[in-house]
Amino acid sequence: MQAAFWLTVGLLCLTVEGLAIARKPQPCRSPPLFRGTFTVGSQNEKFGAVGRFAYDALQQRIHLGEMGTYNNKSYTYNTLFLFEESVMYEINDKEQTCVKKALQSDFHPMAVPKGATFVSQVVLGSSSGPGQGLLVNNWWGNVPGQGNYMVTFSEFGCYPVSSLSQTKEFGWMSVSYFDNVLGAEPHWFIPPPFCADAELVESEDGKVTDFFSAFH
């Protein structure tokens, strides 16, 4: 009888342990095609912005439209990144002008970075009732030469929720994503007609533009 009792306890422990392992969140990748809204802010208050984005991992394209402040000066920015063509377009719809620049940057899918460590799983909002909260996973990591970061993705769908990363110029940078919608219209990724005659130019400092400079 005792043997049967301890065998049952042992099996229950193994079952609980197995469920815990099975439930541990695993690194994920966002849907290949979606759009949404974002806000960006820096620790030193030198930079802040709000805007919309469209993301296409299938053909490696990203479109950013934002407005904000940089060093106490207001700006608007409309940028299309075409990674497969290694070019980016800075688009001014009001003036009907377009600047085409070389893009030297690999496409990085929206996903939990390789090497990131799982930190915690929490509910944003409330878990008291259906539809009252969002289940998310927090991940922590380090980029050599740059600093630490923390990213948060939804448990279901793997949509980005927020990111926090260290930078040399701004200190900690915070990005929040919201109103994500699956899919994106093709026109988001097509340069407007007035960009057809744009010639490839270098950036003002003579360096080839990369993706992350778009946030500066």
Side-chain angles (χ1 to χ4, degrees):
M1 191 71 175
Q2 279 189 330
F5 171 77
W6 288 113
L7 177 61
T8 302
V9 171
L11 289 174
L12 286 173
C13 289
L14 289 174
T15 301
V16 171
E17 182 180 2
L19 288 173
I21 293 175
R23 291 176 180 173
K24 182 178 179 180
Q26 299 298 314
C28 63
R29 177 175 293 191
S30 297
L33 190 65
F34 71 102
R35 64 191 188 280
T37 309
F38 67 92
T39 59
V40 187
S42 67
Q43 180 184 11
N44 61 11
E45 300 182 353
K46 291 176 60 178
F47 176 65
V50 59
R52 297 185 302 168
F53 71 90
Y55 168 85
D56 178 9
L58 300 175
Q59 299 188 54
Q60 299 187 1
R61 305 179 294 185
I62 296 176
H63 193 160
L64 297 177
E66 62 184 87
M67 60 181 180
T69 59
Y70 176 59
N71 282 336
N72 296 320
K73 294 183 179 180
S74 299
Y75 75 92
T76 57
Y77 206 62
N78 186 9
T79 314
L80 175 62
F81 299 88
L82 304 178
F83 290 88
E84 290 187 346
E85 299 178 24
S86 298
V87 298
M88 63 173 284
Y89 292 91
E90 294 179 350
I91 303 165
N92 188 324
D93 292 295
K94 183 178 181 180
E95 301 295 333
Q96 297 280 287
T97 60
C98 185
V99 178
K100 182 179 179 181
K101 295 183 178 181
L103 176 64
Q104 188 180 41
S105 177
D106 294 330
F107 178 80
H108 297 283
M110 187 73 75
V112 176
K114 293 182 179 180
T117 300
F118 173 69
V119 177
S120 63
Q121 185 176 82
V122 299
V123 175
L124 299 180
S126 173
S127 59
S128 299
Q132 296 181 5
L134 176 67
L135 187 63
V136 302
N137 300 318
N138 299 309
W139 303 82
W140 179 268
N142 178 271
V143 177
Q146 296 185 30
N148 298 317
Y149 66 85
M150 176 176 282
V151 293
T152 300
F153 285 82
S154 61
E155 165 67 12
F156 303 107
C158 194
Y159 285 98
V161 176
S162 65
S163 68
L164 190 64
S165 58
Q166 287 181 308
T167 66
K168 295 180 180 179
E169 182 178 357
F170 302 107
W172 285 96
M173 288 281 290
S174 174
V175 184
S176 296
Y177 303 88
F178 51 97
D179 291 341
N180 293 321
V181 178
L182 189 64
E185 293 81 0
H187 70 80
W188 279 81
F189 308 108
I190 300 175
F194 56 82
C195 288
D197 297 328
E199 296 183 0
L200 193 66
V201 298
E202 292 184 345
S203 58
E204 294 179 358
D205 57 9
K207 297 180 180 179
V208 178
T209 304
D210 62 35
F211 170 67
F212 298 100
S213 66
F215 292 99
H216 294 198

